[in-house]
Amino acid sequence: MERAVAAVAEEPIQLADRVNRIAVSPTMAVMAAAEQLKAKGVDVADFGAGEPDFPTPEHIKRAAIKALEENKTKYTATPGIAPLRQAVCDWHAAQLGSSYQPAECIINVGGKHAIFNAVCSLVNAGDEVVIPAPYWVSYPDIVKYAGGKPVIVETREADGFALQAADLERAITPRTRMVIVNSPSNPAGGVIPNAEFEKILGVCQKKGVWLLSDECYSHFTYGDAKPFSIASVPGSKSRLIIAGSCSKTFSMTGWRIGYVLAPQPLVSAIGKLQSQSTSNPTSIAQYGALEALRGPMDSVGTMLAEYARRRERIVAGLRAIPGVTCNAPQGAFYVFPNISKHYKADMSNDTAVSKALLDRAHVAVVPGEAFGAPGYIRMSYATSLDRIEEGLRRLERFFAGAQ
Ligand code: PLP
């Protein structure tokens, strides 16, 4: 009997194709490696994490505590509580100039879930989805999970890593179903200029392709770049999907609240998908999000001012390292320096450089390859100025060949 059990246990598990098509997020892998070192007591200068280092603002936490105390702990409507859907529409209209009704809005379990559900509701097996590189790591895998084919379009450092409408148009084929844009972008901090964004929308409309705009970093812009939604353009809505999130804007990553704004039939389809998978997002998190969207926005401004200071410092520090070049990001909270001049026999690509940085200098970064952009590394500056200074000192020593 015992032998029979052992034989069964050794058999490899045949997983479903849809899961075999995707991989664990490489950014999560870096975080795990850094965590392992930290657990051994190593002082890691951690630029890996893509999340704000600020606590969730107090008034938002209070609202969720109040909801808990009032026993708002039951199932809610699958697409989210009615006041939250209304608040998303009102907030988006006031902040970004759109005009959506609650029937065109659904609350999801974070922005990633918003994108996942939108892609799964629209993409059929073999459909092509255009993704500009460098891209957020999850886009290609979400498309693959849905059975679609990611079509990667390179952007240029000289264009601030922003997609150009002409490059998009060249990539569109009769099989193209969707294009996913992210402005401001993770990992490169690229912001698509408003006029170019309108051209991109025009290309999508002309070709009958859905435009999915991931606005997760909408409120973190620097210099001349300002928060902008393509949904503010008259006539934009028919083939447009807005995916938004409370995660970064309000420092609410753990709360898992995102949303989709899109034509009502698509929102209904996403609701159907949600009704057979996650059901509603967590009830008390929805009440926190309601306060985030209806309450004061001061904390967003405070966070942005701090990110702006850190951005100045980290860009200047990286540019001072011989052989490293660094574009000034226009948004989000990442820098994306090119480190390819430092390749050598034992560090011949960005993944090897990132590994050596963690092992030898105890600096955690994410290799550009993970974002479809070899030659670069991503560093999040959602960490204190002190840690940025320490990290820069280590990088200087490392790239000077001292480690
Ligand atoms: N989109 C981009 C570009 C991101 O970087 C992230 C998170 O890192 C998300 C969406 C999803 O965030 P969340 O699921 O926490 O809302």
Side-chain angles (χ1 to χ4, degrees):
M1 188 62 200
E2 257 175 38
R3 266 170 54 204
V5 169
V8 169
E10 276 164 25
E11 251 177 53
I13 298 173
Q14 288 295 317
L15 296 171
D17 292 347
R18 73 179 79 83
V19 166
N20 283 334
R21 282 199 290 270
I22 62 175
V24 175
S25 160
T27 46
M28 302 275 184
V30 171
M31 279 166 72
E35 286 313 317
Q36 272 176 13
L37 272 186
K38 285 185 205 169
K40 286 187 202 152
V42 176
D43 171 35
V44 176
D46 193 348
F47 298 98
E51 69 176 334
D53 57 323
F54 303 100
T56 302
E58 208 54 37
H59 64 108
I60 299 174
K61 291 195 284 193
R62 290 278 130 224
I65 292 167
K66 184 162 173 278
L68 193 56
E69 284 170 353
E70 289 173 356
N71 293 315
K72 291 179 171 152
T73 54
K74 309 285 187 192
Y75 292 130
T76 74
T78 295
I81 54 173
L84 181 55
R85 293 168 79 191
Q86 181 70 57
V88 168
C89 296
D90 294 346
W91 182 85
H92 206 271
Q95 294 286 321
L96 296 161
S98 66
S99 57
Y100 286 100
Q101 299 301 316
E104 301 167 301
C105 172
I106 181 162
I107 311 302
N108 321 97
V109 186
K112 188 183 280 186
H113 189 222
I115 297 161
F116 185 93
N117 281 358
V119 169
C120 286
S121 298
L122 281 173
V123 171
N124 273 318
D127 284 353
E128 294 178 1
V129 176
V130 176
I131 300 173
Y135 47 73
W136 181 45
V137 290
S138 291
Y139 300 144
D141 280 68
I142 290 174
V143 169
K144 286 186 209 162
Y145 181 87
K149 183 176 164 227
V151 173
I152 309 302
V153 172
E154 304 289 327
T155 63
R156 298 168 203 87
E157 189 163 355
D159 296 328
F161 296 106
L163 176 66
Q164 304 291 300
D167 292 331
L168 168 64
E169 187 150 13
R170 272 192 292 277
I172 289 179
T173 75
R175 300 248 36 184
T176 308
R177 181 74 165 144
M178 183 187 281
V179 51
I180 304 180
V181 295
N182 176 218
S183 174
S185 84
N186 174 8
V191 171
I192 302 173
N194 299 1
E196 198 62 34
F197 219 147
E198 287 195 41
K199 284 191 202 159
I200 290 169
L201 174 72
V203 169
C204 290
Q205 289 180 334
K206 185 169 81 180
K207 302 278 185 177
V209 166
W210 283 91
L211 176 60
L212 193 163
S213 179
D214 176 354
E215 296 184 347
C216 150
Y217 296 96
S218 62
H219 280 61
F220 300 134
T221 55
Y222 311 99
D224 293 339
K226 296 282 171 278
F228 171 76
S229 175
I230 192 66
S232 64
V233 174
S236 62
K237 282 168 58 178
S238 62
R239 284 208 173 254
L240 178 63
I241 306 155
I242 301 295
S245 171
C246 288
S247 287
K248 321 282 171 162
T249 315
F250 301 105
S251 198
M252 292 176 69
T253 44
W255 297 62
R256 313 308 304 134
I257 297 290
Y259 57 84
V260 164
L261 295 165
Q264 188 270 328
L266 177 56
V267 162
S268 294
I270 294 173
K272 185 164 72 169
L273 182 54
Q274 246 165 242
S275 77
Q276 298 296 10
S277 51
T278 52
S279 294
N280 62 273
T282 305
S283 60
I284 54 174
Q286 291 190 61
Y287 285 95
L290 183 60
E291 171 61 23
L293 296 168
R294 279 185 180 166
M297 292 274 292
D298 320 21
S299 54
V300 182
T302 308
M303 285 191 270
L304 177 62
E306 185 56 30
Y307 288 141
R309 259 194 299 279
R310 297 169 180 181
R311 167 182 173 271
E312 292 276 309
R313 181 63 196 108
I314 199 163
V315 169
L318 287 166
R319 286 179 173 170
I321 299 174
V324 173
T325 55
C326 186
N327 218 35
Q330 297 303 294
F333 43 65
Y334 308 99
V335 274
F336 205 54
N338 189 315
I339 45 79
S340 58
K341 289 221 170 70
H342 286 279
Y343 288 174
K344 41 184 143 161
D346 62 336
M347 281 192 330
S348 58
N349 57 46
D350 51 86
T351 303
V353 171
S354 303
K355 188 168 179 327
L357 265 171
L358 186 60
D359 293 346
R360 296 190 226 151
H362 302 151
V363 176
V365 302
V366 186
E369 236 164 346
F371 309 99
Y376 296 84
I377 53 174
R378 188 196 76 174
M379 298 175 66
S380 161
Y381 51 89
T383 186
S384 71
L385 265 177
D386 278 357
R387 296 310 289 168
I388 289 173
E389 295 295 352
E390 176 60 26
L392 286 170
R393 273 193 292 276
R394 293 184 193 186
L395 285 172
E396 255 170 59
R397 278 201 303 272
F398 178 84
F399 285 124
Q403 271 160 322

